[in-house]
């Protein structure tokens, strides 16, 4: 099986230009390609992780990845998939986020010996002369065609600023610069980026009469229509300080039955033959597939030691086997207890992060009936936990069957 055929078999390809040329280039290991990452936060998330695994697959076959961090485009904000304008960030925040991205990317991509590059588009976008740019680049774009782009159509009802409207020109210019400065002839991205990617190809072809190519990968979507990697509490980050390895493991351990094999194919490096064998698994055996998925991805992101700890913690909670040492714990400090040495359950739920607010905690207790302390179901939001109720090895606080934390005395 060729690399291109493997990408197809793993369900990664959404749409592409020039199929034969792309297949020939990547199969021969001769593609220099880029994927863009706008630093809108100080950590990558699992949506980025999917792109990084694609870069790694292609690099292992001899192709050269360029990770383009958007120190320039992040000052505008990509309108794709948005119903409102992104919050504008300061230059200092963007530059800090860029450095965070660079450190995280190095854990997945081999940047040694010129095997891959990290490039910041702020190097050319921040100092552009507006008039020169519009004469040189803007003249290559038709407003009529741009307005038909999916990235803009979705925003026309709510209102689209000229700032955001210029994003396509900026991303297209990125490809043009990478093509000239680094010999990059191919761009990959999520399927929501198709219009922007075509803009870059057309710019190169109009100005230089040369060929460039683009391929989009399928974004992983939950069946409720929300993007992969979103939870009730926010995004699933790759930074362990923002999203604990145990929680990362549990996120994948709890995916829907109909998603587990898709995720195994798209993001792990397990042989397709092994995954195809799992396709025959039914019922409780699907839980084994979920454990494999969770372990593989946690190991890739956080290392094998953390994956083993997360696995052991999950077994202790759900199977009653082993120590609770590896279950994520939250300290209850002496000042958290009242004068009677007790703390109310609502404060506990907010402190553990299982509920976003005190009103959310009340709703979870009295309406959803989803809260348990140890094995005791809690229906009264006035319920309190005493200092002596917390054993030395901690007390489990459960929200539903899957959101479980442990409180310990400081």
């Amino acid at each position: 099986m060729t690399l291109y055929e493997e990408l197809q078999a793993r369900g990664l390809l959404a749409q592409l230009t020039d199929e034969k040329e792309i297949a020939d280039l990547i199969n021969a290991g001769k593609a220099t390609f880029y994927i863009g990452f706008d630093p809108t936060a100080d950590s990558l998330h699992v949506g980025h992780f999917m792109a990084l695994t694609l870069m790694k697959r292609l690099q292992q076959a001899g192709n050269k990845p360029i990770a383009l961090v958007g120190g320039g485009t992040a000052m505008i904000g990509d309108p794709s998939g948005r119903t409102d304008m992104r919050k504008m960030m300061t230059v200092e925040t963007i530059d800090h986020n860029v450095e965070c991205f660079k450190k995280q990317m190095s854990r997945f991509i081999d940047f040694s010996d010129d095997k891959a590059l990290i490039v910041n588009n702020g190097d050319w976008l921040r100092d552009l002369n507006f008039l020169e740019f519009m004469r040189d680049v803007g003249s290559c774009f038709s407003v009529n065609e741009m307005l038909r782009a999916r990235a803009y159509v979705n925003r026309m009802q709510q209102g689209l600023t000229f700032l955001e409207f210029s994003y396509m020109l900026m991303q297209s210019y990125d490809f043009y610069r990478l093509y000239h400065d680094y010999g990059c002839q191919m761009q990959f991205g999520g399927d929501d980026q198709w219009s922007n990617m075509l803009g870059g190809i057309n710019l190169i072809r109009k100005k230089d009469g040369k060929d460039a190519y683009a391929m989009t990968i399928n974004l992983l979507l939950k069946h409720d229509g929300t993007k992969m990697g979103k939870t009730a509490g926010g995004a699933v980050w790759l930074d362990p300080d923002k999203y604990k390895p145990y929680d990362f493991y549990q996120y994948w351990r709890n995916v829907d039955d109909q998603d587990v094999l898709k995720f195994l194919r798209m993001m792990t490096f397990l042989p397709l033959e092994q995954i195809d064998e799992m396709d025959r698994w039914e019922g409780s055996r699907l839980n084994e597939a979920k454990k494999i998925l969770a372990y593989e991805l946690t190991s890739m992101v956080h290392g094998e030691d953390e994956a083993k700890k997360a696995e052991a913690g999950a077994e202790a909670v759900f199977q009653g086997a082993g120590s609770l040492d590896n279950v994520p714990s939250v300290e209850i400090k002496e000042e958290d207890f009242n004068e009677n040495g007790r703390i109310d359950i609502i404060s506990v739920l907010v402190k553990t992060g299982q509920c976003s607010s005190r009103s959310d905690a009340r709703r979870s207790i009295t309406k959803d009936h989803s809260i348990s302390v140890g094995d005791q179901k809690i229906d009264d939001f006035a319920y309190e936990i005493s200092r002596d109720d917390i054993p030395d090895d901690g007390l489990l606080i459960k929200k539903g069957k899957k959101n479980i934390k442990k409180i310990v005395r400081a």
Side-chain angles (χ1 to χ4, degrees):
M1 181 183 291
T2 66
L3 173 59
Y4 181 78
E5 290 170 339
E6 181 179 353
L7 297 182
Q8 286 182 310
R10 289 185 178 274
L12 286 165
L13 304 187
Q15 51 191 335
L16 61 157
T17 66
D18 312 284
E19 179 177 12
K20 182 180 184 306
E21 289 80 359
I22 289 175
D24 289 344
L25 277 170
I26 66 174
N27 288 340
K30 295 182 178 180
T32 298
F33 67 96
Y34 94 91
I35 296 180
F37 301 82
D38 269 357
T40 54
D42 59 0
S43 172
L44 298 164
H45 54 67
V46 295
H48 297 129
F49 177 61
M50 183 181 174
L52 290 167
T53 59
L54 174 65
M55 295 173 81
K56 186 172 183 177
R57 289 185 208 282
L58 291 161
Q59 185 180 51
Q60 289 177 339
N63 299 287
K64 183 175 180 177
I66 298 176
L68 182 70
V69 289
T73 43
M75 298 183 72
I76 298 175
D78 185 1
S80 302
R82 301 281 300 189
T83 58
D84 58 354
M85 183 174 170
R86 293 181 186 272
K87 181 180 178 181
M88 295 182 68
M89 299 184 295
T90 65
V91 172
E92 292 75 19
T93 297
I94 292 171
D95 289 344
H96 170 73
N97 294 348
V98 165
E99 292 306 311
C100 293
F101 274 28
K102 287 180 179 179
K103 291 177 183 178
Q104 288 183 317
M105 287 175 177
S106 298
R107 289 162 37 202
F108 306 102
I109 308 300
D110 182 3
F111 291 100
S112 66
D113 303 321
D114 202 40
K115 295 174 185 174
L117 297 173
I118 296 180
V119 179
N120 185 345
N121 66 14
D123 294 342
W124 55 76
L125 290 180
R126 289 184 182 179
D127 295 326
L128 280 177
N129 178 289
F130 179 77
L131 290 178
E132 290 179 1
F133 178 76
M134 295 309 293
R135 284 170 63 90
D136 187 40
V137 175
S139 60
C140 297
F141 287 80
S142 162
V143 170
N144 291 345
E145 292 179 4
M146 291 176 68
L147 288 174
R148 288 194 289 269
R150 187 173 69 177
Y152 297 137
V153 169
N154 294 340
R155 288 295 311 280
M156 295 304 289
Q157 296 298 322
Q158 288 78 20
L160 178 70
T161 65
F162 183 77
L163 179 71
E164 297 170 283
F165 190 61
S166 68
Y167 190 91
M168 183 184 291
L169 274 66
M170 299 293 181
Q171 183 169 330
S172 300
Y173 186 62
D174 284 346
F175 198 0
Y176 181 78
R177 286 297 299 261
L178 292 172
Y179 178 85
H180 278 274
D181 298 351
Y182 300 98
C184 176
Q185 76 275 58
M186 197 176 300
Q187 179 179 186
F188 294 164
D191 56 6
D192 62 339
Q193 293 292 309
W194 185 241
S195 299
N196 292 337
M197 294 164 71
L198 290 180
I201 291 174
N202 292 334
L203 180 61
I204 292 170
R205 291 178 178 174
K206 285 181 179 180
K207 290 186 65 64
D208 295 358
K210 300 288 182 64
D211 281 333
Y213 313 107
M215 181 173 75
T216 62
I217 57 176
N218 282 305
L219 293 176
L220 293 180
L221 300 176
K222 288 186 176 179
H223 286 276
D224 61 4
T226 60
K227 284 189 177 180
M228 177 200 72
K230 297 292 185 181
T231 70
V236 177
W237 304 105
L238 303 191
D239 184 340
D241 292 331
K242 293 173 75 72
Y243 203 81
K244 299 297 183 186
Y246 176 87
D247 294 328
F248 188 87
Y249 177 94
Q250 284 300 111
Y251 176 81
W252 299 108
R253 175 66 181 80
N254 294 322
V255 298
D256 292 339
D257 289 354
Q258 59 264 43
D259 287 335
V260 60
L261 293 178
K262 177 175 70 175
F263 292 169
L264 280 164
R265 289 189 178 98
M266 296 177 94
M267 287 188 293
T268 76
F269 287 79
L270 295 175
L272 282 169
E273 295 80 6
Q274 181 180 348
I275 300 171
D276 291 342
E277 177 63 29
M278 297 180 201
D279 216 352
R280 303 185 180 93
W281 295 1
E282 296 178 353
S284 61
R285 290 206 72 189
L286 275 176
N287 285 326
E288 292 301 315
K290 292 180 183 181
K291 290 179 184 179
I292 293 170
L293 172 69
Y295 185 88
E296 289 292 323
L297 296 187
T298 306
S299 181
M300 290 168 65
V301 173
H302 297 296
E304 193 168 356
D305 286 346
E306 291 295 338
K308 289 178 179 178
K309 290 178 183 178
E311 183 180 52
E315 290 297 312
V317 170
F318 295 104
Q319 305 297 329
S323 168
L324 296 177
D325 290 347
N326 294 312
V327 179
S329 62
V330 176
E331 287 189 341
I332 305 297
K333 299 178 181 178
E334 190 61 33
E335 57 263 31
D336 294 323
F337 295 104
N338 61 25
E339 63 275 10
N340 298 318
R342 306 177 76 82
I343 182 173
D344 64 278
I345 186 61
I346 290 179
S347 296
V348 170
L349 291 168
V350 173
K351 194 170 184 65
T352 61
Q354 290 164 293
C355 293
S356 59
S357 65
R358 295 183 69 85
S359 59
D360 180 32
R362 289 190 186 93
R363 183 167 52 252
S364 297
I365 294 168
T366 60
K367 183 177 180 180
D368 300 337
H369 305 288
S370 60
I371 303 301
S372 298
V373 175
D375 293 326
Q376 180 184 354
K377 180 73 73 174
I378 305 301
D379 295 314
D380 180 4
F381 62 75
Y383 179 85
E384 293 182 328
I385 299 171
S386 75
R387 184 188 295 106
D388 296 335
D389 288 336
I390 306 175
D392 291 340
D393 60 349
L395 178 65
L396 293 182
I397 308 297
K398 304 176 184 178
K399 182 181 180 183
K401 295 181 179 179
K402 301 175 181 178
N403 189 342
I404 299 175
K405 296 292 175 65
K406 178 179 66 174
I407 58 171
V408 297
R409 288 171 293 173

